[in-house]
Amino acid sequence: MTWTKYQLFLAGLMLTTGSLNTLSAKWADLFSAKGCHDVPEHNFSHPFVQAVGMFLGELSCLAVFYILLCHDRRNPEPRINPGESFNPLLFFPPAMCDMTATSIMYVALNMTSASSFQMLRGAVIIFTGLLSVAFLGRRLLPSQWLGIFITILGLVIVGLADFFSGHQGDTHKLSDIITGDLLIIMAQIIVSVQMVLEEKSVVPTQKVETPSFFGFFVLSLLLIPMYFIPVGDFADNPRHVLEDALDAFCQIGHKPLILLALLGNTVSIAFFNFAGISVTKEISATTRMVLDSLRTLVIWVVSLALGWEQFHGLQVLGFLVLLLGTGLYNGLHRPVMARIPCCAGMLDTQEEQNSPEERERLLGDGKVQTGDES
């Protein structure tokens, strides 16, 4: 099938904005500037402020939707379907999971490289698959179980690459790298819980950006108590509190380039969510998964080019193994096998073990994204 210019634009937009999202967040972490009250220059380490900015970007998508909806209602024949009515509180539990996972991942990004950060997020398919079996009563296909085991192997390889890079005097301490990698894995568990809660609560798909409303306002309010919670050396800010939002604003005032990095993170997530949903609608969920995997490659190449990290052969192997595991879980092998007579029979045998409804749900669950969209 030949892609239209609009489809090519959407694919390019998703790949570009998805890569910029992680790169701009990491760029902000690399800055150092003076703080409030003439505090000496120090690293910009404000993960929770960055998380608020990301939710602001997602919230802008919801604002644009309602602006377009209001404008459409003025027409004699409205064309936009506002979707079914629902209780907004349905979104609160998954929104809290989203808020917690996002915050943890921004903390982890400050401790590890951007490429490892993106690769390790592929762990989400492991926990999503296991939780869907345990709590949703799903039966995974053999290829999906194989994809999970291969993904675990890929995570081990990426973890080893980070371990050896820490011994080679990379930009991060070994202890920070290990902690950051573990935090990313922990965040993926929470993301998986979010997905199960959304399906268990029968969350309306038309309102996918609504959780960002709760995430933005709750996390913004939490910045106040975070300002007074001491965490010792775990926090890399002058007061050693969980989050010092005032110090973040002071650093931005002293070095405006930090604001540019934060805006890049906020704006890119808004366009990335739009592009991701549009790619799924206009092309396919499989294409979206492939583009998301390419995003990991772009982030890794750009990080190497900018000197943010060193080249490690194990990362290449880890990326390829993770790509294979994700592809198997998402059914990317199916079109290839369907063209081979003997393999096509194997696919038919596997599918006969499940009802049509079960197969549809399995393939739907398989379209797990490793991106930042909520």
Side-chain angles (χ1 to χ4, degrees), residues 222-237:
L222 287 177
L223 289 178
I224 299 174
M226 287 180 182
Y227 184 81
F228 301 99
I229 300 176
V231 292
D233 293 336
F234 182 77
D236 193 17
N237 57 65

Side-chain angles (χ1 to χ4, degrees), residues 51 57 81 105 126 130-131 152 155 186-187 242 268-269 291 296 313 319-320 322 333 349 357 368 373:
N81 180 14
M105 284 190 282
I126 299 172
L130 296 177
L131 291 178
I152 293 174
L155 294 175
M186 183 190 303
L242 190 56
S268 63
I269 193 63
L291 290 172
T296 304
F319 170 73
L320 293 175
L322 285 172
H333 64 290
T349 302
E357 295 80 7
V368 175
E373 65 275 14

